[in-house]
Amino acid sequence: MRILHLNTYASGGSYEYAALLSNALANERIDSRVLCRGPAPSTGDRQVLNRLVRRISVSLSRETWHGAWRFLPPPGRGELEGVDLVHLHTVGDWFNVPRWLSALPAHIGVVISLPDLWHVSGGCFVYRGCERFVDTCSPCPILKPPVHRFLARRELAWKSRIYRERHARLVANSRWLADTVAQSVTARACGGVQVVSPAIDTTVFKPRDKRRCREEMGLPSDKFILVTGCASLTDVYKNTPWLLERL
């Protein structure tokens, strides 16, 4: 079996998830690799159209909203040669996913990871307590009138239809996320959500003597230490203020 994992960028949490999973499959003698978007051209019709769509999306929304329409080139026939299964990770900012899947050869299976809500919503990445993705994503609270009543609805209906037609299998990276999206119209259309938890590289992260580690890092030996990390401590979605408040 040959598996192709797709992720927009060769960095970040979704990429690490894809790379570790791909390496684990390769260790089981399964042909598996990760493909990311190449450098975007600074000029050209596709790039101009892509920038235009992004600007329109910003003008129509109060917060970050990502529609499925993208004009950058998706993986072509060369990358799909001999592939039996494609595993989509974070690709909403790369190519037009529903359109690409509808043209994908029928013999290629589809697995879709859910590191966020994009694949099961009308354009959201982050869960904010809104559960309109359960049925129609309408009216969308982050889109401006009058498009808030139909734009996200069309996006969600389009994704759900294509994912169902392609018999896509949805995979969440945590039980919480799986429970959150299980009642979405997309998850119901695809037969539910399974959980594949993120892995760690045990050649790097492994048990060591705690006292020696503290000595090497110059940390006090008698204090309780809590470590947290993220791409940006000022990112509101990482909840750093909430963590400090609880501490």
Side-chain angles (χ1 to χ4, degrees), residues 123-161:
C124 283
F125 273 99
V126 180
Y127 179 69
R128 301 175 176 85
C130 173
E131 297 186 351
R132 288 180 173 88
F133 57 78
V134 169
D135 44 27
T136 64
C137 268
S138 178
C140 175
I142 67 174
L143 287 172
K144 299 176 183 178
V147 298
H148 69 306
R149 293 197 174 277
F150 64 85
L151 194 55
R153 177 195 290 266
R154 290 181 179 178
E155 291 278 335
L156 180 60
W158 190 23
K159 290 178 186 175
S160 298
R161 178 176 62 83

Side-chain angles (χ1 to χ4, degrees), residues 52-78:
L52 178 61
V53 166
R54 292 177 70 100
R55 289 179 180 177
I56 292 174
S57 297
V58 170
S59 68
L60 295 176
S61 59
R62 298 185 179 93
E63 298 179 39
T64 303
W65 180 83
H66 292 264
W69 284 101
R70 290 290 181 270
F71 291 93
L72 296 180
R77 293 182 179 180

Side-chain angles (χ1 to χ4, degrees), residues 92-150:
D93 205 24
W94 180 0
F95 55 89
N96 187 320
V97 175
R99 185 175 182 180
W100 183 76
L101 285 178
S102 65
L104 192 69
H107 71 275
I108 298 179
V110 178
V111 174
I112 297 177
S113 274
L114 305 175
D116 47 53
L117 296 184
W118 188 82
H119 286 291
V120 297
S121 75
C124 283
F125 273 99
V126 180
Y127 179 69
R128 301 175 176 85
C130 173
E131 297 186 351
R132 288 180 173 88
F133 57 78
V134 169
D135 44 27
T136 64
C137 268
S138 178
C140 175
I142 67 174
L143 287 172
K144 299 176 183 178
V147 298
H148 69 306
R149 293 197 174 277
F150 64 85

Side-chain angles (χ1 to χ4, degrees), residues 13-61:
S14 61
Y15 171 75
E16 294 296 334
Y17 177 90
L20 285 167
L21 180 57
S22 182
N23 289 338
L25 290 168
N27 289 337
E28 296 297 323
R29 298 183 180 180
I30 296 173
D31 188 345
S32 178
R33 68 186 183 96
V34 181
L35 177 66
C36 300
R37 190 187 81 182
S42 57
T43 59
D45 293 343
R46 284 179 175 267
Q47 184 66 11
V48 171
L49 287 172
N50 205 56
R51 288 176 179 171
L52 178 61
V53 166
R54 292 177 70 100
R55 289 179 180 177
I56 292 174
S57 297
V58 170
S59 68
L60 295 176
S61 59

